[in-house]
Amino acid sequence: MKPILSPLRAALAGAGLLLAAATLPAAATTIDRVVSPGGIEAWLVEDHTVPAVTVSFSFDGGAAQDPEGKAGLASLLSEMLTEGAGPYDAPGFKTALADRSIQLGFSTSQDYNGGRLKTLTTERDAAFELLRLALAEPKLAQGDLDRIKAGRLAELNFQENDPGTIADDRWSAAAFPGHPYGRPSIGTKDSVATIATADLQDLRRRMFARDGLRLAVVGDIDAATLGPALDRVFGGLPAKGELTPVPDIVPAAKGTATVPMAVSQASIQLGFPSPRRDDPDYFPAIVMNHILGGSTFTSRLYRAVREQRGLAYSVDSNTLQFQHTGLLLITAGTRADKAGESLSVIQDEIARLAKDGPTDQEVAEAKSYLIGSYPLGFASHDALASYVLSLQLAGRGRDFIDKYPGLIEAVTPAQVKAVAARVLQIKDPTAVVAGTPAS
């Protein structure tokens, strides 16, 4: 069974794009805007060096659209979309993909349902048709749903004893009380048991609409070919979605909670509100995060917690952006009997950075790394398609790839010190330690 990540852990996994084997030439980062005859927009990066096409797509919605008592609905819908569509039952649909070496998968985040299609150029038309069927004519059969739900319930049973999942779920519930972000996106055993095929059909109808669609296409296809294909695949979807409004929220400060568990390893999760993308402090916050815990081997947290004291086998920080909030999230994995000491050292390093700010050298080295490693985030078709899609979701322009290095280079030590004081001096930030020994 493929592991199901809880919402914040999924966001962390997506923060660093994995690289595929084939790399792109530098010239392949020109992004063109393509509008189909029917008005559907996609961002296209043409690259004819490899006979393959990758399409990344996203619809507004995600787990935040799960109705009350139906947590897990959006993620179950994503799993069900390849379980038969049009004339194909579940095995037939998967055989149709496999026989043509087509890769098609769907995923769910808090704010979006989307997916990726990857195909050889020779199978492009067949791949586009299978994608159309999955979106417009999925079977969503009861027998398939029962099988998928059984797997989900088994995964939820396993996660009841997983400190990382428990820390994530408890932290989200405390930081986002009464908000969709506070619910587990994969659901609970009680909520998953209530989900029926009618629920899947209703959410698909409300969410898969052209007004919330964003598309990134990379590879062996030109604009003249792509435009009509967009209409064939997506043109039959409703023009407008029917989404429930989701309010903006600032993560609450609830102090530290501990969850005793009979396990040898503990998980720590600590979070702060972080500047949103339109905030002038956004790029200084990226540099500050790198200094605090974003760098694998040179960050303050790594050196203090792991290198100098050997308290944790993992410790890092990440800035995460959702549609309705921004986070600086710190996570650590440690021995259960060292969890309290590990958290204390983490808090000391946070307080030190908040009070004194970074050194000029730390800022210079962080900027050098962030700029130098930036192209690695789009060094393959898959990674580039994901990145181009993320630009659209973030409201960035097509020239952001060229602008990013300058935006990071312009950050000053004074700006990083100011944002560290702003973000990290929150009193009693929400923290969860799951796996502490029972007293």
Side-chain angles (χ1 to χ4, degrees), residues 120-344:
L120 298 171
T121 305
T122 54
E123 302 294 345
R124 191 173 60 204
D125 290 344
F128 285 166
E129 173 61 11
L130 289 168
L131 173 57
R132 184 194 72 80
L133 289 174
L135 292 171
E137 301 179 33
K139 293 289 190 185
L140 305 180
Q142 186 64 54
D144 296 321
L145 177 59
D146 291 342
R147 173 171 48 82
I148 297 298
K149 284 170 61 174
R152 176 67 59 87
L153 292 170
E155 184 71 15
L156 288 167
N157 279 327
F158 170 80
Q159 292 186 353
E160 287 181 346
N161 296 306
D162 175 44
T165 301
I166 290 173
D168 188 0
D169 289 347
R170 296 287 184 92
W171 189 92
S172 298
F176 303 120
H179 191 276
Y181 288 172
R183 302 193 300 248
S185 62
I186 68 168
T188 66
K189 289 191 288 187
D190 288 341
S191 68
V192 168
T194 69
I195 292 172
T197 55
D199 299 315
L200 298 174
Q201 291 284 13
D202 180 67
L203 183 61
R204 185 191 68 83
R205 176 189 60 81
R206 293 192 299 109
M207 191 163 55
F208 290 169
R210 299 196 304 275
D211 64 332
L213 172 64
R214 291 164 181 85
L215 286 154
V217 182
V218 177
D220 187 23
I221 190 170
D222 57 28
T225 304
L226 177 60
L230 295 176
D231 286 339
R232 291 195 302 273
V233 176
F234 302 101
L237 297 176
K240 292 186 177 297
E242 299 177 18
L243 301 181
T244 301
V246 177
D248 289 346
I249 187 169
V250 176
K254 295 291 186 68
T256 301
T258 59
V259 185
M261 299 176 65
V263 293
S264 59
Q265 296 176 340
S267 182
I268 298 170
Q269 193 151 296
L270 172 65
F272 299 82
S274 185
R276 306 285 296 277
R277 291 188 182 96
D278 57 354
D279 191 306
D281 279 339
Y282 175 72
F283 291 103
I286 290 177
V287 177
M288 184 269 289
N289 170 72
H290 185 83
I291 294 167
L292 176 63
S295 172
T296 304
F297 299 115
T298 62
S299 72
R300 290 192 177 192
L301 291 180
Y302 180 89
R303 286 174 172 168
V305 178
R306 179 170 176 174
E307 188 175 85
Q308 295 172 8
R309 295 172 177 84
L311 291 173
Y313 55 85
S314 66
V315 59
D316 56 35
S317 66
N318 287 274
T319 54
L320 303 176
Q321 293 292 315
F322 298 87
Q323 271 194 342
H324 303 287
T325 198
L327 296 177
L328 173 69
L329 195 69
I330 298 165
T331 59
T334 182
R335 277 172 40 188
D337 61 345
K338 296 292 184 181
E341 185 180 356
S342 297
L343 178 60
S344 179

Side-chain angles (χ1 to χ4, degrees), residues 373-395:
S373 64
Y374 181 59
L376 297 177
F378 41 90
S380 70
H381 280 184
D382 290 359
L384 181 57
S386 295
Y387 184 78
V388 171
L389 180 63
S390 75
L391 294 182
Q392 297 177 67
L393 297 178

